[in-house]
Amino acid sequence: AIQLTQSPSSLSASVGDRITITCRASQGIGNALAWYQLKPGLTPKLLIYDASSLQSGVPSRFRGSGSGTDFTLTITSLQPEDFVSYYCQQFNSFPLTFGGGTKVEI
Amino acid sequence: EVQLVESGGDLVQPGGSLRLSCRTSGFTFGDYGLTWVRQAPGTGLEWVGFTRSHLYGGTSEYAASVEGRFTVSRDDSRGIAYLQMNSLKTEDRGVYYCGRGRTYGGVKYWFDYWGQGTLVTVSS
């Protein structure tokens, strides 16, 4: 199975900050990577697919990049509602796998 | 409006069984793949299983941790997916989410809409 190593596992930031979360795959996956946001008690939300394609309705401050084994999610200007958890997921092959998650805290 | 609503979560003893449902609306369910993902308390997301649409054979995939114990099925006429969970273990506890699959050609899938989750507790 392809392993995804996500870092950092948590980070502290302030409103307006620019942050970057990384996701490294144990083998090349092309651009078959998605990023999700998970708020406690709410439904998971797709942010990015195909490594860099912004899901419809998602604010443009969310940006994905990378290919092969190294990927990043950047939030260019943190908003109060962004202080939640984020997960990468590879869909290059089954079994599908998620990164360990990143909790963004104030 | 696309909606997915999970139900069926409950307290069950180790070794027991449970069937979760994912009721969908707002789209032609039969044309989409459907996945199940779970989150145990204090941990991250773990992929559980997936069913392809009839367009791509209607076959299923499973995580190694549930292979042989869990079965994903679907009723396209009713827009419902199921997760049958047998021989439950304490480590199967958590919130179970269903998600709608998107694909370009039936090979690679990401998930664009999700339900709110249903809680499964496995304890004696």
Side-chain angles (χ1 to χ4, degrees), chain A residues 91, chain B residues 31-33 50 53 56 101-110:
Chain A
F91 54 93
Chain B
D31 291 347
Y32 289 83
F50 172 78
S53 82
Y56 300 109
R102 297 302 306 275
T103 183
Y104 290 127
V107 177
K108 301 182 181 184
Y109 292 85
W110 66 99

Side-chain angles (χ1 to χ4, degrees), chain A:
Chain A
I2 297 172
Q3 296 181 9
L4 296 180
T5 302
Q6 191 175 333
S7 62
S9 57
S10 66
L11 67 89
S12 295
S14 300
V15 173
D17 283 356
R18 176 189 180 102
I19 66 164
T20 297
I21 300 169
T22 66
C23 183
R24 174 164 289 177
S26 59
Q27 63 189 74
I29 59 172
N31 66 341
L33 190 96
W35 290 94
Y36 300 91
Q37 180 188 68
L38 188 59
K39 296 183 179 181
L42 297 181
T43 73
K45 179 180 181 180
L46 173 67
L47 301 174
I48 302 286
Y49 63 97
D50 285 349
S52 61
S53 295
L54 189 68
Q55 171 68 2
S56 176
V58 174
S60 59
R61 64 180 181 272
F62 293 92
R63 298 178 185 174
S65 64
S67 67
T69 60
D70 293 308
F71 302 86
T72 60
L73 173 69
T74 298
I75 308 175
T76 57
S77 178
L78 277 170
Q79 299 302 300
E81 61 269 29
D82 299 338
F83 290 89
V84 291
S85 295
Y86 297 86
Y87 292 86
C88 56
Q89 176 235 323
Q90 68 82 18
F91 54 93
N92 184 70
S93 62
F94 288 95
L96 305 180
T97 46
F98 286 89
T102 297
K103 186 174 183 179
V104 179
E105 301 173 304
I106 296 178

Side-chain angles (χ1 to χ4, degrees), chain A residues 36 38 44 87 98-100, chain B residues 37-39 43-47 97 114:
Chain A
Y36 300 91
L38 188 59
Y87 292 86
F98 286 89
Chain B
V37 165
R38 66 188 180 188
Q39 184 178 31
T43 70
L45 297 174
E46 179 188 10
W47 175 72
Y97 299 97
W114 296 82

